Amino acid sequence: MPESILIDTDPGIDDFMAILFALKSPELDVLALTTVFGNHYIEITTRNALVTLELAGRDDIPVARGAYAPLVRAYHGPPTSVHGHDGLGDAGFTTEPESEAAHTRAAQFIVEAVMSRPGKITLVPLGPLTNIAMALKLEPRLVQATKRVVLMGGVAFAPGNVSPVAEANIHNDPEAAAVVLGANWDVVMVGLDVTTRVVMPPRYIGELGESGSIYGKLVARVVPHYQAYHSQAYGNDGALYTHDPSAIAYLIRPELFTTVRHPVRVDTWSGYGMGQIIVDRSSKWYPGVETTICADVDAAGVLELFRERITR
Ligand code: BDR
Ligand code: CA
């Protein structure tokens, strides 16, 4: 039986890649996409989710629009240097989607979906955790009813990407992250500790584009802007970090990842540490809930899995 997943997403170039990866993986049944602000305004991330599904030939999958801003802070607008002015790398995916978002908003959609099938549905957040926190506030029984949460976000032992210590999805709504990581459910954190070790070189991307697969062509088309950003920001010569697709890889092949379990807290102070994941390595200071943290990864294994699925 495939694992039923709800992907909460802010497409976003790597969200686009992750969604295609999930759709091509028989181990996963993508029930719906819920959208959140982050890589762009909510209107644009919702449009991009609809466009992604249409390009993938899967507009049968519902999309529910979610939060336009963090729980208690302001949203400061899209990082266009990373994901382009349209959030999809300005790659010419300009046709307006024919499909529309559901009438139900994301948090309510998540509650209804999970409570209708207790113990069966996995949440896969790939953006700020606002919708998931709101869903928990609407329905606290989600904690027991959700099978597990596998999220891309945070960093435990490596440097951050929006500050020396914080990763973008957590930094974009630290209060929501504190709610989600503080709840007593099974959370797996696929963060920068592993996603920055899974590096897609330009040759690999070129081969996806020339593989003859439609999904491979879509990936090769969406990434040039992201490659340019990586070159400028990290001196990577066009090689990409594999953020959101790594969470999908964990769902399919957890044995490619080395994990540790510790209690964590999120720094919600508005200082230099905002959005930092504070790991209690001794499990002494914050007794109670432990988060599964991906600490290392078989990067070649993840790249091979992604290639195999996208070009299949
Ligand atoms: C995360 O931030 C976003 O820009 C990406 O889509 C990914 O989810 C990486 O820090
Ligand atoms: Ca994302």
Side-chain angles (χ1 to χ4, degrees), residues 157 261-265 277-288 290 293:
F157 311 116
R261 283 176 58 77
H262 293 297
V264 303
R265 291 291 184 273
I277 303 288
I278 301 166
V279 182
D280 177 7
R281 295 194 215 192
S282 64
S283 300
K284 162 178 154 188
W285 303 101
Y286 314 137
E290 291 187 331
I293 299 165

Side-chain angles (χ1 to χ4, degrees), residues 10 12-15 38-39 79 82-83 126-127 152-154 161-162 167-169 172 192 195 226 243-244:
D10 60 337
I13 294 170
D14 59 327
D15 301 75
N39 289 329
V82 186
H83 294 275
L126 305 178
M152 190 282 134
N161 63 356
V162 287
E167 181 279 330
N169 288 340
N172 269 335
L192 302 180
T195 66
Y226 207 39
H243 296 307
D244 293 342

Side-chain angles (χ1 to χ4, degrees), residues 208-221:
L208 296 178
E210 286 154 20
S211 66
S213 124
I214 291 172
Y215 280 35
K217 282 201 176 68
L218 289 172
V219 170
R221 183 169 156 195

Side-chain angles (χ1 to χ4, degrees), residues 3-306:
E3 183 166 359
S4 296
I5 64 171
L6 286 179
I7 301 180
D8 189 71
T9 177
D10 60 337
I13 294 170
D14 59 327
D15 301 75
F16 178 95
M17 297 162 72
I19 293 164
L20 297 185
F21 187 17
L23 292 175
K24 283 297 275 297
S25 294
E27 297 87 349
L28 302 175
D29 178 18
V30 182
L31 299 179
L33 305 183
T34 52
T35 58
V36 64
F37 75 92
N39 289 329
H40 221 300
Y41 295 104
I42 188 64
E43 292 77 15
I44 306 296
T45 60
T46 305
R47 173 203 175 271
N48 290 349
L50 293 165
V51 166
T52 305
L53 291 175
E54 288 187 6
L55 289 167
R58 291 303 310 273
D59 57 1
D60 56 302
I61 295 175
V63 173
R65 178 187 292 116
Y68 70 90
L71 292 183
V72 298
R73 297 168 190 267
Y75 172 50
H76 295 297
T80 53
S81 62
V82 186
H83 294 275
H85 291 281
D86 66 0
L88 290 181
D90 300 327
F93 298 126
T94 47
T95 317
E96 279 309 303
E98 289 179 14
S99 44
E100 288 181 1
H103 292 298
T104 312
R105 296 301 288 243
Q108 181 67 26
F109 191 99
I110 291 168
V111 169
E112 289 176 12
V114 173
M115 296 314 290
S116 70
R117 292 175 61 196
K120 301 286 185 217
I121 295 180
T122 294
L123 302 180
V124 185
L126 305 178
L129 292 162
T130 320
N131 291 335
I132 314 298
M134 288 173 73
L136 274 178
K137 296 293 181 192
L138 282 175
E139 179 49 270
R141 290 177 299 167
L142 273 192
V143 165
Q144 293 85 36
T146 301
K147 180 175 179 197
R148 59 179 177 157
V149 181
V150 176
L151 64 88
M152 190 282 134
V155 58
F157 311 116
N161 63 356
V162 287
S163 85
V165 294
E167 181 279 330
N169 288 340
I170 305 298
H171 193 264
N172 269 335
D173 194 347
E175 284 77 13
V179 170
V180 172
L181 290 166
N184 188 12
W185 55 0
D186 179 6
V187 178
V188 181
M189 199 181 101
V190 185
L192 302 180
D193 303 281
V194 290
T195 66
T196 56
R197 291 185 196 175
V198 184
V199 181
M200 294 184 176
R203 203 177 70 183
Y204 171 95
I205 294 162
E207 285 166 6
L208 296 178
E210 286 154 20
S211 66
S213 124
I214 291 172
Y215 280 35
K217 282 201 176 68
L218 289 172
V219 170
R221 183 169 156 195
V222 81
V223 295
H225 187 94
Y226 207 39
Q227 289 181 279
Y229 171 76
H230 276 71
S231 297
Q232 170 253 313
Y234 308 115
N236 272 10
D237 287 334
L240 300 181
Y241 294 145
T242 309
H243 296 307
D244 293 342
S246 292
I248 305 300
Y250 179 89
L251 286 161
I252 304 169
R253 291 274 161 77
E255 66 276 12
L256 295 173
F257 296 79
T258 306
T259 59
V260 292
R261 283 176 58 77
H262 293 297
V264 303
R265 291 291 184 273
V266 182
D267 189 341
T268 53
W269 290 15
S270 300
Y272 293 122
M274 188 173 98
Q276 181 178 12
I277 303 288
I278 301 166
V279 182
D280 177 7
R281 295 194 215 192
S282 64
S283 300
K284 162 178 154 188
W285 303 101
Y286 314 137
V289 184
E290 291 187 331
T291 298
T292 301
I293 299 165
C294 291
D296 202 357
V297 61
D298 173 354
V302 172
L303 289 178
E304 186 44 41
L305 180 64
F306 183 82

